[in-house]
Amino acid sequence: MIKRMYCCCAIVLLLLSVNRAEAHPHVWVTFHSELLYAVDGTITGVRHAWTFDDMFSAYALQGTSHAKKGQYTREELASLAQTNVDSLKEYDYFTYARADGKKLKFAEPVDYWLEYKNPSLILHFTLPLKVPAAPRAMQIEVYDPSIFVDFEFAKDKPVSLSGAPPQCLATYDLPHQPTAAEQAQLNQLDAVPLDPSSTYGEIFANKILVRCP
Protein backbone atom coordinates (compact mmCIF):
# COMPACT_ATOMS: atom_id res chain seq x y z
CA MET A 1 0.00 0.00 0.00
CA ILE A 2 1.30 3.42 -0.87
CA LYS A 3 2.02 6.19 1.63
CA ARG A 4 -0.69 8.39 0.16
CA MET A 5 -3.35 5.89 1.14
CA TYR A 6 -2.19 5.75 4.74
CA CYS A 7 -2.08 9.52 5.17
CA CYS A 8 -5.45 10.25 3.59
CA CYS A 9 -7.20 7.54 5.55
CA ALA A 10 -5.75 8.97 8.73
CA ILE A 11 -8.05 11.97 8.48
CA VAL A 12 -9.89 10.13 11.20
CA LEU A 13 -7.86 6.96 11.72
CA LEU A 14 -5.02 5.17 9.92
CA LEU A 15 -7.08 2.62 8.04
CA LEU A 16 -4.33 0.10 7.58
CA SER A 17 -6.76 -2.56 6.42
CA VAL A 18 -8.27 -0.54 3.54
CA ASN A 19 -7.16 -1.55 0.06
CA ARG A 20 -6.76 0.98 -2.73
CA ALA A 21 -8.90 -1.21 -4.98
CA GLU A 22 -12.13 -0.19 -3.25
CA ALA A 23 -14.52 2.35 -4.75
CA HIS A 24 -13.14 5.85 -5.30
CA PRO A 25 -13.37 8.18 -3.41
CA HIS A 26 -13.03 6.46 -0.04
CA VAL A 27 -14.14 9.16 2.36
CA TRP A 28 -17.00 11.68 2.13
CA VAL A 29 -16.93 14.95 4.05
CA THR A 30 -19.63 17.62 4.35
CA PHE A 31 -18.15 20.86 5.64
CA HIS A 32 -18.89 24.33 6.96
CA SER A 33 -16.19 27.03 6.92
CA GLU A 34 -16.06 30.26 8.89
CA LEU A 35 -13.61 33.00 7.91
CA LEU A 36 -12.19 34.81 10.93
CA TYR A 37 -11.39 38.53 11.11
CA ALA A 38 -9.52 40.70 13.60
CA VAL A 39 -10.83 44.03 14.86
CA ASP A 40 -8.64 45.88 12.34
CA GLY A 41 -10.48 44.16 9.47
CA THR A 42 -7.73 41.72 8.52
CA ILE A 43 -8.56 38.09 7.91
CA THR A 44 -6.71 35.87 10.36
CA GLY A 45 -7.75 32.35 9.43
CA VAL A 46 -10.50 29.87 8.72
CA ARG A 47 -12.43 27.62 11.09
CA HIS A 48 -13.61 24.31 9.65
CA ALA A 49 -16.25 21.81 10.74
CA TRP A 50 -15.95 18.57 8.76
CA THR A 51 -18.69 15.96 9.08
CA PHE A 52 -17.56 12.51 7.99
CA ASP A 53 -19.84 9.94 6.41
CA ASP A 54 -21.48 7.52 8.83
CA MET A 55 -19.74 4.38 7.58
CA PHE A 56 -16.30 5.92 7.87
CA SER A 57 -17.17 7.36 11.28
CA ALA A 58 -18.26 3.94 12.55
CA TYR A 59 -15.02 2.37 11.36
CA ALA A 60 -12.91 5.13 12.90
CA LEU A 61 -14.57 4.72 16.29
CA GLN A 62 -13.73 1.04 16.57
CA GLY A 63 -11.61 0.48 19.64
CA THR A 64 -12.21 3.94 21.09
CA SER A 65 -12.97 3.64 24.79
CA HIS A 66 -16.06 5.47 26.01
CA ALA A 67 -18.04 5.45 29.24
CA LYS A 68 -21.56 5.58 27.81
CA LYS A 69 -22.89 3.44 25.00
CA GLY A 70 -23.50 5.47 21.85
CA GLN A 71 -21.81 8.56 23.30
CA TYR A 72 -18.28 9.94 23.07
CA THR A 73 -16.94 12.95 24.92
CA ARG A 74 -14.39 15.39 23.55
CA GLU A 75 -11.86 13.97 25.99
CA GLU A 76 -12.48 10.40 24.83
CA LEU A 77 -11.90 11.49 21.22
CA ALA A 78 -8.85 13.64 21.94
CA SER A 79 -6.23 11.18 20.73
CA LEU A 80 -8.20 10.60 17.54
CA ALA A 81 -8.36 14.36 16.96
CA GLN A 82 -4.59 14.55 17.39
CA THR A 83 -4.16 11.83 14.79
CA ASN A 84 -6.32 13.84 12.41
CA VAL A 85 -4.36 17.06 12.49
CA ASP A 86 -0.98 15.32 12.53
CA SER A 87 -1.87 13.34 9.40
CA LEU A 88 -3.40 16.27 7.52
CA LYS A 89 -0.34 18.49 7.84
CA GLU A 90 1.49 16.88 4.91
CA TYR A 91 -1.49 17.64 2.67
CA ASP A 92 -2.02 21.27 3.68
CA TYR A 93 -5.26 20.33 5.44
CA PHE A 94 -6.89 20.24 1.99
CA THR A 95 -7.31 24.00 2.33
CA TYR A 96 -5.77 26.57 -0.02
CA ALA A 97 -6.00 30.36 0.14
CA ARG A 98 -5.37 33.28 -2.19
CA ALA A 99 -5.55 37.00 -1.41
CA ASP A 100 -5.93 39.20 -4.48
CA GLY A 101 -4.57 36.29 -6.50
CA LYS A 102 -1.50 35.66 -4.32
CA LYS A 103 -1.09 32.40 -2.44
CA LEU A 104 -1.25 32.55 1.35
CA LYS A 105 0.18 30.08 3.85
CA PHE A 106 -1.50 28.68 6.92
CA ALA A 107 0.13 27.96 10.26
CA GLU A 108 -0.53 24.70 12.09
CA PRO A 109 -4.11 24.19 13.31
CA VAL A 110 -5.35 25.25 16.73
CA ASP A 111 -8.52 24.57 18.70
CA TYR A 112 -8.97 21.15 17.14
CA TRP A 113 -11.36 18.59 18.55
CA LEU A 114 -13.75 15.85 17.53
CA GLU A 115 -17.47 15.76 18.19
CA TYR A 116 -19.75 12.76 17.86
CA LYS A 117 -23.29 13.32 16.61
CA ASN A 118 -24.74 9.90 15.96
CA PRO A 119 -23.91 8.52 13.47
CA SER A 120 -21.12 10.88 12.39
CA LEU A 121 -17.84 12.28 13.63
CA ILE A 122 -17.27 16.01 13.19
CA LEU A 123 -13.76 17.41 13.15
CA HIS A 124 -13.49 21.03 14.29
CA PHE A 125 -10.25 22.92 13.73
CA THR A 126 -8.95 26.41 13.03
CA LEU A 127 -6.24 27.21 10.50
CA PRO A 128 -4.57 30.56 11.29
CA LEU A 129 -2.92 32.45 8.47
CA LYS A 130 0.82 32.85 9.00
CA VAL A 131 0.39 36.52 8.13
CA PRO A 132 -3.04 38.21 8.45
CA ALA A 133 -4.25 39.73 5.19
CA ALA A 134 -6.58 42.53 4.13
CA PRO A 135 -7.37 41.69 0.52
CA ARG A 136 -10.19 43.08 -1.55
CA ALA A 137 -10.74 39.56 -2.90
CA MET A 138 -10.15 36.43 -0.83
CA GLN A 139 -10.53 32.88 -2.13
CA ILE A 140 -10.45 29.69 -0.08
CA GLU A 141 -10.51 26.35 -1.86
CA VAL A 142 -11.21 23.02 -0.17
CA TYR A 143 -10.43 19.83 -2.07
CA ASP A 144 -8.29 16.71 -2.13
CA PRO A 145 -5.86 16.89 -5.08
CA SER A 146 -6.10 13.13 -5.60
CA ILE A 147 -9.90 12.96 -5.04
CA PHE A 148 -9.35 10.29 -2.38
CA VAL A 149 -11.62 12.37 -0.14
CA ASP A 150 -14.79 13.93 -1.52
CA PHE A 151 -15.69 17.33 -0.02
CA GLU A 152 -19.15 18.87 -0.24
CA PHE A 153 -20.49 22.13 1.18
CA ALA A 154 -23.03 21.77 3.98
CA LYS A 155 -26.55 22.48 2.81
CA ASP A 156 -27.32 24.80 5.73
CA LYS A 157 -25.12 27.92 5.89
CA PRO A 158 -22.00 26.40 4.29
CA VAL A 159 -19.97 29.62 4.70
CA SER A 160 -19.96 32.38 7.30
CA LEU A 161 -17.87 35.39 8.32
CA SER A 162 -16.88 36.19 11.89
CA GLY A 163 -15.91 39.75 12.73
CA ALA A 164 -15.67 40.86 9.10
CA PRO A 165 -16.17 44.50 8.08
CA PRO A 166 -19.86 45.05 7.26
CA GLN A 167 -19.20 45.70 3.56
CA CYS A 168 -17.59 42.27 3.05
CA LEU A 169 -19.68 39.73 1.17
CA ALA A 170 -19.12 35.97 1.09
CA THR A 171 -20.28 33.68 -1.70
CA TYR A 172 -19.35 30.17 -2.72
CA ASP A 173 -19.05 28.13 -5.89
CA LEU A 174 -19.85 24.45 -6.14
CA PRO A 175 -17.51 22.16 -8.07
CA HIS A 176 -18.42 21.87 -11.72
CA GLN A 177 -20.00 18.69 -13.02
CA PRO A 178 -17.38 16.50 -14.71
CA THR A 179 -17.32 16.32 -18.48
CA ALA A 180 -17.53 12.94 -20.18
CA ALA A 181 -13.74 12.80 -20.45
CA GLU A 182 -13.27 13.80 -16.80
CA GLN A 183 -15.81 11.23 -15.67
CA ALA A 184 -13.99 8.55 -17.63
CA GLN A 185 -10.77 9.42 -15.80
CA LEU A 186 -12.55 9.44 -12.46
CA ASN A 187 -13.87 5.97 -13.18
CA GLN A 188 -10.30 4.74 -13.66
CA LEU A 189 -8.81 6.17 -10.46
CA ASP A 190 -8.92 2.91 -8.54
CA ALA A 191 -7.23 0.97 -11.30
CA VAL A 192 -4.78 3.78 -12.06
CA PRO A 193 -4.46 5.94 -8.91
CA LEU A 194 -3.30 9.51 -9.21
CA ASP A 195 0.27 10.27 -8.27
CA PRO A 196 0.55 11.75 -4.74
CA SER A 197 1.80 15.00 -6.27
CA SER A 198 -1.18 15.26 -8.61
CA THR A 199 -3.31 18.40 -8.56
CA TYR A 200 -6.09 16.92 -10.66
CA GLY A 201 -8.64 17.38 -7.91
CA GLU A 202 -8.25 21.16 -8.10
CA ILE A 203 -10.68 21.30 -11.00
CA PHE A 204 -13.37 20.00 -8.61
CA ALA A 205 -12.54 22.42 -5.79
CA ASN A 206 -15.16 23.91 -3.50
CA LYS A 207 -14.55 27.67 -3.61
CA ILE A 208 -15.29 30.32 -1.00
CA LEU A 209 -15.11 33.89 -2.30
CA VAL A 210 -15.06 37.02 -0.12
CA ARG A 211 -15.02 40.54 -1.51
CA CYS A 212 -14.42 43.64 0.59
CA PRO A 213 -14.72 46.81 -1.52
Side-chain angles (χ1 to χ4, degrees), residues 9 18 27-28 33 46 62 96 102 117 127 129 140 144 148 156 168 177 186 196 201 207 213:
C9 286
V18 174
V27 183
W28 287 262
S33 297
V46 57
Q62 291 182 16
Y96 310 88
K102 296 181 180 180
K117 285 189 176 180
L127 286 175
L129 286 170
I140 304 287
D144 177 4
F148 190 92
D156 183 26
C168 293
Q177 292 299 310
L186 291 172
K207 298 178 180 180

Short mmCIF file of all heavy atoms in Angstrom, two decimals, residues 9 18 27-28 33 46 62 96 102 117 127 129 140 144 148 156 168 177 186 196 201 207 213:
data_model
loop_
_atom_site.label_atom_id
_atom_site.label_comp_id
_atom_site.label_asym_id
_atom_site.label_seq_id
_atom_site.Cartn_x
_atom_site.Cartn_y
_atom_site.Cartn_z
N CYS A 9 -6.28 8.26 4.68
CA CYS A 9 -7.20 7.54 5.55
C CYS A 9 -7.10 8.04 6.97
O CYS A 9 -8.06 7.98 7.73
CB CYS A 9 -6.91 6.04 5.52
SG CYS A 9 -7.43 5.23 4.01
N VAL A 18 -7.55 -0.93 4.75
CA VAL A 18 -8.27 -0.54 3.54
C VAL A 18 -7.38 -0.74 2.33
O VAL A 18 -6.23 -0.36 2.32
CB VAL A 18 -8.71 0.93 3.63
CG1 VAL A 18 -9.33 1.38 2.32
CG2 VAL A 18 -9.73 1.08 4.75
N VAL A 27 -13.62 8.42 1.22
CA VAL A 27 -14.14 9.16 2.36
C VAL A 27 -14.98 10.33 1.85
O VAL A 27 -14.60 11.00 0.89
CB VAL A 27 -13.00 9.70 3.25
CG1 VAL A 27 -13.56 10.41 4.49
CG2 VAL A 27 -12.04 8.58 3.65
N TRP A 28 -16.12 10.57 2.51
CA TRP A 28 -17.00 11.68 2.13
C TRP A 28 -17.12 12.64 3.30
O TRP A 28 -17.40 12.23 4.43
CB TRP A 28 -18.38 11.16 1.73
CG TRP A 28 -18.37 10.46 0.41
CD1 TRP A 28 -18.72 10.98 -0.81
CD2 TRP A 28 -17.99 9.10 0.15
NE1 TRP A 28 -18.58 10.04 -1.80
CE2 TRP A 28 -18.13 8.87 -1.24
CE3 TRP A 28 -17.54 8.05 0.98
CZ2 TRP A 28 -17.84 7.64 -1.81
CZ3 TRP A 28 -17.25 6.84 0.40
CH2 TRP A 28 -17.41 6.65 -1.00
N SER A 33 -17.39 26.24 6.68
CA SER A 33 -16.19 27.03 6.92
C SER A 33 -16.56 28.44 7.36
O SER A 33 -17.47 29.06 6.79
CB SER A 33 -15.32 27.10 5.66
OG SER A 33 -14.86 25.81 5.31
N VAL A 46 -9.24 30.52 9.06
CA VAL A 46 -10.50 29.87 8.72
C VAL A 46 -10.77 28.75 9.72
O VAL A 46 -9.86 28.01 10.10
CB VAL A 46 -10.48 29.33 7.27
CG1 VAL A 46 -9.33 28.35 7.05
CG2 VAL A 46 -11.80 28.65 6.92
N GLN A 62 -14.02 2.37 16.05
CA GLN A 62 -13.73 1.04 16.57
C GLN A 62 -12.52 1.09 17.51
O GLN A 62 -11.48 1.64 17.18
CB GLN A 62 -13.45 0.07 15.43
CG GLN A 62 -14.68 -0.25 14.58
CD GLN A 62 -14.38 -1.26 13.50
OE1 GLN A 62 -13.37 -1.95 13.52
NE2 GLN A 62 -15.29 -1.36 12.52
N TYR A 96 -6.69 25.72 0.73
CA TYR A 96 -5.77 26.57 -0.02
C TYR A 96 -6.36 27.97 -0.13
O TYR A 96 -7.55 28.13 -0.39
CB TYR A 96 -5.53 25.97 -1.41
CG TYR A 96 -5.16 24.50 -1.35
CD1 TYR A 96 -6.17 23.52 -1.36
CD2 TYR A 96 -3.84 24.09 -1.24
CE1 TYR A 96 -5.85 22.17 -1.26
CE2 TYR A 96 -3.51 22.74 -1.16
CZ TYR A 96 -4.51 21.79 -1.16
OH TYR A 96 -4.20 20.45 -1.05
N LYS A 102 -2.78 36.15 -4.84
CA LYS A 102 -1.50 35.66 -4.32
C LYS A 102 -1.73 34.58 -3.28
O LYS A 102 -2.60 34.71 -2.41
CB LYS A 102 -0.71 36.82 -3.70
CG LYS A 102 -0.31 37.88 -4.71
CD LYS A 102 0.49 38.99 -4.03
CE LYS A 102 0.90 40.07 -5.04
NZ LYS A 102 1.68 41.16 -4.38
N LYS A 117 -21.84 13.15 16.73
CA LYS A 117 -23.29 13.32 16.61
C LYS A 117 -23.79 12.12 15.82
O LYS A 117 -23.64 12.07 14.60
CB LYS A 117 -23.64 14.63 15.91
CG LYS A 117 -23.46 15.87 16.78
CD LYS A 117 -24.03 17.11 16.11
CE LYS A 117 -23.95 18.32 17.01
NZ LYS A 117 -24.51 19.54 16.37
N LEU A 127 -7.50 27.01 11.19
CA LEU A 127 -6.24 27.21 10.50
C LEU A 127 -5.91 28.70 10.50
O LEU A 127 -6.55 29.47 9.77
CB LEU A 127 -6.33 26.70 9.05
CG LEU A 127 -6.32 25.19 8.84
CD1 LEU A 127 -6.54 24.89 7.36
CD2 LEU A 127 -5.01 24.58 9.30
N LEU A 129 -3.85 32.02 9.50
CA LEU A 129 -2.92 32.45 8.47
C LEU A 129 -1.58 32.80 9.12
O LEU A 129 -1.54 33.36 10.22
CB LEU A 129 -3.46 33.67 7.73
CG LEU A 129 -4.60 33.42 6.74
CD1 LEU A 129 -5.18 34.75 6.27
CD2 LEU A 129 -4.13 32.59 5.56
N ILE A 140 -10.84 30.91 -0.79
CA ILE A 140 -10.45 29.69 -0.08
C ILE A 140 -10.96 28.51 -0.88
O ILE A 140 -12.14 28.48 -1.26
CB ILE A 140 -11.07 29.64 1.34
CG1 ILE A 140 -10.69 30.87 2.17
CG2 ILE A 140 -10.64 28.35 2.05
CD1 ILE A 140 -9.28 30.92 2.64
N ASP A 144 -9.39 17.67 -2.19
CA ASP A 144 -8.29 16.71 -2.13
C ASP A 144 -7.71 16.60 -3.53
O ASP A 144 -8.42 16.20 -4.46
CB ASP A 144 -8.80 15.35 -1.66
CG ASP A 144 -7.71 14.28 -1.66
OD1 ASP A 144 -6.54 14.59 -1.96
OD2 ASP A 144 -8.05 13.12 -1.36
N PHE A 148 -9.19 11.41 -3.31
CA PHE A 148 -9.35 10.29 -2.38
C PHE A 148 -10.48 10.61 -1.40
O PHE A 148 -11.25 9.74 -1.01
CB PHE A 148 -8.04 10.05 -1.64
CG PHE A 148 -8.00 8.80 -0.84
CD1 PHE A 148 -7.51 7.62 -1.39
CD2 PHE A 148 -8.43 8.78 0.47
CE1 PHE A 148 -7.46 6.46 -0.65
CE2 PHE A 148 -8.38 7.63 1.23
CZ PHE A 148 -7.88 6.45 0.66
N ASP A 156 -26.85 23.70 4.89
CA ASP A 156 -27.32 24.80 5.73
C ASP A 156 -26.15 25.71 6.10
O ASP A 156 -25.25 25.31 6.83
CB ASP A 156 -27.97 24.24 7.00
CG ASP A 156 -28.53 25.34 7.89
OD1 ASP A 156 -28.87 26.41 7.37
OD2 ASP A 156 -28.62 25.10 9.11
N CYS A 168 -18.11 43.51 3.64
CA CYS A 168 -17.59 42.27 3.05
C CYS A 168 -18.74 41.31 2.75
O CYS A 168 -19.66 41.15 3.55
CB CYS A 168 -16.59 41.61 3.98
SG CYS A 168 -15.06 42.54 4.20
N GLN A 177 -19.70 20.07 -12.68
CA GLN A 177 -20.00 18.69 -13.02
C GLN A 177 -18.96 18.18 -14.03
O GLN A 177 -18.63 18.88 -14.99
CB GLN A 177 -21.40 18.56 -13.61
CG GLN A 177 -22.51 18.83 -12.61
CD GLN A 177 -22.48 17.86 -11.44
OE1 GLN A 177 -22.41 16.65 -11.64
NE2 GLN A 177 -22.51 18.39 -10.22
N LEU A 186 -12.15 9.73 -13.83
CA LEU A 186 -12.55 9.44 -12.46
C LEU A 186 -12.88 7.96 -12.26
O LEU A 186 -12.56 7.37 -11.23
CB LEU A 186 -13.76 10.30 -12.08
CG LEU A 186 -13.52 11.80 -11.93
CD1 LEU A 186 -14.85 12.53 -11.74
CD2 LEU A 186 -12.59 12.09 -10.77
N PRO A 196 0.75 10.91 -5.93
CA PRO A 196 0.55 11.75 -4.74
C PRO A 196 0.77 13.24 -4.98
O PRO A 196 0.21 14.07 -4.27
CB PRO A 196 1.60 11.20 -3.77
CG PRO A 196 1.79 9.78 -4.18
CD PRO A 196 1.65 9.78 -5.68
N GLY A 201 -7.43 17.07 -8.65
CA GLY A 201 -8.64 17.38 -7.91
C GLY A 201 -8.96 18.86 -7.82
O GLY A 201 -10.09 19.22 -7.46
N LYS A 207 -15.16 26.36 -3.69
CA LYS A 207 -14.55 27.67 -3.61
C LYS A 207 -15.39 28.64 -2.75
O LYS A 207 -16.59 28.76 -2.95
CB LYS A 207 -14.37 28.26 -5.01
CG LYS A 207 -13.43 27.45 -5.89
CD LYS A 207 -13.30 28.05 -7.28
CE LYS A 207 -12.36 27.21 -8.16
NZ LYS A 207 -12.23 27.79 -9.51
N PRO A 213 -15.02 45.63 -0.69
CA PRO A 213 -14.72 46.81 -1.52
C PRO A 213 -14.04 47.93 -0.71
O PRO A 213 -14.09 47.96 0.50
CB PRO A 213 -16.11 47.26 -1.99
CG PRO A 213 -17.07 46.66 -1.03
CD PRO A 213 -16.45 45.41 -0.51
#
